[in-house]
């Protein structure tokens, strides 16, 4: 059942609406658990659109396996999604920085406030994100250091390659949806994957399988799920950041998801006007590359990669 969460009339054109699809069993009880699945808080995050489509489609095909309420919000920021911009056009506001919002503020603040109000009563929330246009990310769960045992247990059983516990990760900063949900007592986790403006279908299907594992773990779904290996948990001191010292073009020499040794070349910075390589980028540790620069033009000091300290199981990471 499709419901309108929020509607606001714009100065020109049709009203902007945030909608959700509520999926329920044939018989609904008041004590049934409710999970909310969220996507599209940034307008350039297209993977979440496909993931929500597949989740809705599979649940509709297996409704007899549904034992609770699943609310799917494919597009929390339709203004930005219409123009495929990360931030809301005009004022260039990052919606994931204005929660809990305000019913008397800017349109984006009003949207945030109404969305948060609609999420009241959720027993668990899954917030799906894609990276920006600069970095590619493997499918991963991001949690704050104070996420709590329940959330960590759910994340650990989800079966994605990595759970990154980082108190200053962008996905859990003050003003984000995840931060406001936690402050309101709603357990939640953030799934990050891929890159902006593109859909990596392999990554999407890993995440879809992971979400159904979560739904089963929370007693909302009793259908068949694809169980994966136990995930690796990386804490803040187990992740190294790799930055460049020079401006130029970044040429990668390692793949995302691959394992590297300390001192191994993972890329280089070249200066086109000189026809020369001006910097070799070396891995600072043994581990797996879980974030890798996709946008080739770089300026001094920009992030090129993140590497988590993991033992090599043999070749490229496989789930």
């Amino acid at each position: 059942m499709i419901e309108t969460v929020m509607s606001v009339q714009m100065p020109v054109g049709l009203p902007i609406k945030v909608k959700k699809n509520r999926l329920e069993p044939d018989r609904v009880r008041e004590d049934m658990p409710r999970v909310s699945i969220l996507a599209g808080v940034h307008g350039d995050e297209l993977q979440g659109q496909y993931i929500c489509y597949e989740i809705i489609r599979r649940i509709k095909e297996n409704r007899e396996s549904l034992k609770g309420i699943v609310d799917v919000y494919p597009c929390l920021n339709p203004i930005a999604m219409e123009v495929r911009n990360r931030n809301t056009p005009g004022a260039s506001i990052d919606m994931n920085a204005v929660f809990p919002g305000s019913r008397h503020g800017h349109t984006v603040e009003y949207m945030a406030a109404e969305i948060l109000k609609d999420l009241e009563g959720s027993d668990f929330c899954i917030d799906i994100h894609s990276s920006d246009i600069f970095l590619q990310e493997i499918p991963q769960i991001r949690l704050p250091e104070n996420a709590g045992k329940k959330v960590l247990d759910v994340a650990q059983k989800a079966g994605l390659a990595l759970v990154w516990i980082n108190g200053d990760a962008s996905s859990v900063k003050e003003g984000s949806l995840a931060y406001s949900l936690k402050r309101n007592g709603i357990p939640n986790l953030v799934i990050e994957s891929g890159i902006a403006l593109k859909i990596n279908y392999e990554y999407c299907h890993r995440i879809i399988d992971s979400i159904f594992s979560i739904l089963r773990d929370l007693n909302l779904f009793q259908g068949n799920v694809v169980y994966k290996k136990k995930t690796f948990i990386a804490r803040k001191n187990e992740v190294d950041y790799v930055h460049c010292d020079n401006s130029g073009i970044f040429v990668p020499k390692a793949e995302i998801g691959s394992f590297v040794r300390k001192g191994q070349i993972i890329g280089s910075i070249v200066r086109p006007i000189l026809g020369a390589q001006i910097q070799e980028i070396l891995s600072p540790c043994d581990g797996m590359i879980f974030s890798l620069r996709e946008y080739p033009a770089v300026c001094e000091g920009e992030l090129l990669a993140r590497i988590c300290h993991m033992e090599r199981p043999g070749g490229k990471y496989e789930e």
Side-chain angles (χ1 to χ4, degrees):
M1 178 173 60
I2 297 176
E3 302 177 9
T4 297
V5 173
M6 186 281 314
S7 178
V8 60
Q9 180 61 53
M10 302 302 289
V12 178
L14 297 173
I16 292 293
K17 296 181 180 181
V18 175
K19 297 182 179 182
K20 70 178 180 183
N21 194 334
R22 169 158 286 190
L23 303 161
E24 300 175 327
D26 292 332
R27 294 183 178 180
V28 179
R29 303 188 316 271
E30 290 186 2
D31 61 344
M32 276 186 166
R34 172 189 167 201
V35 168
S36 295
I37 300 171
L38 319 161
V41 73
H42 293 126
D44 58 359
E45 295 178 332
L46 303 183
Q47 287 206 156
Q49 307 302 294
Y50 178 76
I51 290 168
C52 288
Y53 151 75
E54 270 292 304
I55 289 170
I56 293 169
R57 184 188 68 80
R58 293 188 192 185
I59 289 178
K60 287 169 68 176
E61 288 185 353
N62 297 275
R63 190 174 292 274
E64 71 281 356
S65 298
L66 190 62
K67 304 302 176 184
I69 298 169
V70 178
D71 282 339
V72 183
Y73 303 71
C75 184
L76 296 182
N77 193 348
I79 305 175
M81 187 66 69
E82 282 190 4
V83 293
R84 303 297 185 264
N85 280 346
R86 187 168 187 81
N87 296 335
T88 306
S92 191
I93 295 175
D94 180 354
M95 187 179 188
N96 209 36
V98 302
F99 285 94
S102 169
R103 301 193 72 183
H104 307 288
H106 186 277
T107 300
V108 181
E109 294 177 297
Y110 175 73
M111 290 166 58
E114 291 298 292
I115 289 166
L116 201 60
K117 184 176 184 297
D118 197 72
L119 290 169
E120 291 177 1
S122 298
D123 294 290
F124 203 92
C125 289
I126 301 170
D127 187 12
I128 303 168
H129 287 262
S130 301
S131 184
D132 53 28
I133 63 170
F134 300 101
L135 285 175
Q136 179 82 251
E137 303 276 0
I138 67 166
Q140 61 196 260
I141 291 173
R142 294 185 179 179
L143 299 177
E145 292 175 334
N146 60 349
K149 186 178 185 304
K150 177 183 178 179
V151 175
L152 182 57
D153 286 346
V154 170
Q156 192 170 356
K157 296 175 183 175
L160 289 181
L162 178 69
V163 173
W164 183 20
I165 300 175
N166 186 0
D168 57 8
S170 60
S171 54
V172 291
K173 68 183 180 182
E174 187 172 354
S176 69
L177 175 56
Y179 184 93
S180 289
L181 288 170
K182 186 178 189 309
R183 189 173 59 182
N184 288 358
I186 301 174
N188 70 94
L189 55 78
V190 172
I191 297 179
E192 184 86 26
S193 169
I195 195 165
L197 298 175
K198 294 182 180 180
I199 297 177
N200 184 318
Y201 293 99
E202 178 188 353
Y203 283 2
C204 285
H205 284 283
R206 292 188 199 178
I207 292 169
I208 293 162
D209 289 341
S210 176
I211 289 173
F212 275 101
S213 293
I214 291 172
L215 294 178
R216 182 160 183 133
D217 188 50
L218 295 174
N219 300 315
L220 271 89
F221 188 79
Q222 292 185 349
N224 293 328
V225 300
V226 179
Y227 286 103
K228 303 294 183 65
K229 294 181 180 179
K230 187 176 179 180
T231 191
F232 179 81
I233 297 177
R235 300 186 183 274
K236 187 161 64 171
N237 61 351
E238 296 173 319
V239 172
D240 280 356
Y241 297 73
V242 181
H243 297 85
C244 58
D245 298 328
N246 298 275
S247 300
I249 299 296
F250 174 60
V251 180
K253 296 183 180 178
E255 295 183 2
I256 190 166
S258 63
F259 281 77
V260 292
R261 293 292 187 186
K262 182 176 182 179
Q264 181 177 331
I265 298 172
I266 61 175
S268 60
I269 305 296
V270 301
R271 187 72 56 81
I273 190 65
L274 300 177
Q277 175 180 298
I278 58 174
Q279 184 185 355
E280 278 190 339
I281 308 300
L282 307 180
S283 174
C285 63
D286 294 349
M288 182 185 70
I289 300 173
F290 71 93
S291 308
L292 186 64
R293 181 83 177 191
E294 179 84 4
Y295 193 81
V298 295
C299 295
E300 179 182 346
E302 288 191 319
L303 181 65
L304 302 179
R306 298 188 189 99
I307 303 174
C308 61
H309 303 179
M310 292 175 61
E311 293 184 5
R312 183 189 186 111
K316 188 176 179 180
Y317 185 88
E318 297 290 341
E319 290 192 1

